Structures are given as C-alpha cells and as structure tokens.
Amino acid sequence: TISNADESLIARLKEADQMIRARKYADAKAVLDAAHKERPDNARVLFGLAEVTSKQASTLTDSSELEVELYAAIELYKQAAESASPDTEKWLVQRSYVAAGKILDFIAETQAAGDRADDAAKTSADALAAYELALKLGKVEGGAYDEAVKAKEQHTTKPKN
C-alpha cells in the first residue's frame, strides 16, 4: 500500500521502478522529480529518489563528489522514513534505515582507507544507530529486519583499529 498516492502517482512510481531495474537512472530521476514536485511529502517518492541518488552515485569516480551524493541519498532516506505512514509503510521506514546504514558503512570504510579514522568512527556509529532504529520496528512484512540484524552483527564483530 502506498499512502498519499492516487492512481497516476502509483503508475509513475511503477514506471520509475522499472527504469531503476533497467539502470536508466536519469530517466527514473526525472519521473520521480516530477512526482516529488506534486507530492513532496510522499514517502515512496522520496524512497525512490534516494535509491536513484545512491545508484547514480555509484557511477561517480570523484571521491568527494561521491560522498556528497551519498549523503544526499541518506537525507532522502531519512525524509522517506519521516514521511511514511506508521500504519501502512513501516516496511519503507525499515528499508530506509537499513539503506542509509549501508551507505554510512560504505562511507566509513572509504574514510578509514583515506586516513580519516575519526570521521570513520563517527560515521560507523551513525550506521549502527540506523540499524538499531530498523531493529526497533521488529519483523515487518516487506521490511529489512534480517538485513539489519546481519549488519549489526558485522558491527559488533568488526575489529577495532
């Protein structure tokens, strides 16, 4: 169920999902940007924009530009989680937290490799906090509980530098 959506918006979301699966990120972003203008607080639109932003970022080679785009995706996931219906979109909230956590883990690894240990420690702690938020929701149909459990376990077994 998609809250705050009519048939037209649902059709555009499905179209954008197909474009994302086909790796047509620019096309999907255009569809989602148009939908966002009409429904700026629609959680599913924000989630789609976060997905596209993170996937587009993975094609970048400039590390500082990559980090900026990844933080933009994290912010969109946060907005999606905040805008989601607590009754019908708990799955989206959980998936948003886990996706943001995974991006933060990636950024932390990059920071650690680039001799930015203090930044990496903070970013890693933020990732762990995101996973813990996901776990607080419990098992949710269509959610990402098992992914959150696995990610949290990896944090607790990771050797400290």
Side-chain angles (χ1 to χ4, degrees):
T1 304
I2 300 173
S3 296
N4 186 22
D6 56 21
E7 286 183 31
S8 169
L9 180 59
I10 292 169
R12 286 188 284 168
L13 289 169
K14 287 180 180 178
E15 179 185 14
D17 286 344
Q18 289 172 341
M19 291 172 176
I20 291 168
R21 281 194 292 279
R23 296 187 175 161
K24 296 180 179 179
Y25 303 133
D27 294 339
K29 186 170 182 345
V31 169
L32 291 164
D33 280 338
H36 186 245
K37 282 184 177 70
E38 292 174 29
R39 300 279 174 88
D41 61 343
N42 182 280
R44 185 58 186 79
V45 171
L46 291 162
F47 186 85
L49 283 169
E51 278 191 295
V52 167
T53 302
S54 67
K55 289 179 187 305
Q56 280 184 312
S58 70
T59 66
L60 298 173
T61 54
D62 180 308
S63 61
S64 60
E65 191 179 341
L66 172 64
E67 194 167 309
V68 167
E69 286 301 305
L70 290 175
Y71 275 114
I74 291 166
E75 180 58 30
L76 286 163
Y77 279 124
K78 180 180 175 223
Q79 290 175 24
E82 290 169 352
S83 299
S85 163
D87 299 324
T88 60
E89 294 178 321
K90 208 179 268 191
W91 65 271
L92 189 144
V93 175
Q94 194 168 60
R95 287 196 165 280
S96 293
Y97 289 147
V98 171
K102 286 181 176 183
I103 293 170
L104 286 163
D105 275 338
F106 174 80
I107 293 170
E109 288 174 20
T110 305
Q111 290 169 332
D115 241 7
R116 294 168 53 197
D118 290 346
D119 291 341
K122 184 192 178 317
T123 304
S124 183
D126 290 345
L128 182 58
Y131 298 132
E132 288 173 347
L133 286 169
L135 291 170
K136 279 184 184 175
L137 296 171
K139 283 207 176 240
V140 177
E141 186 177 339
Y145 184 84
D146 292 339
E147 289 177 64
V149 168
K150 184 177 175 187
K152 185 175 178 184
E153 285 172 0
Q154 289 174 338
H155 269 262
T156 57
T157 60
K158 208 181 277 184
K160 303 288 181 223
N161 292 359

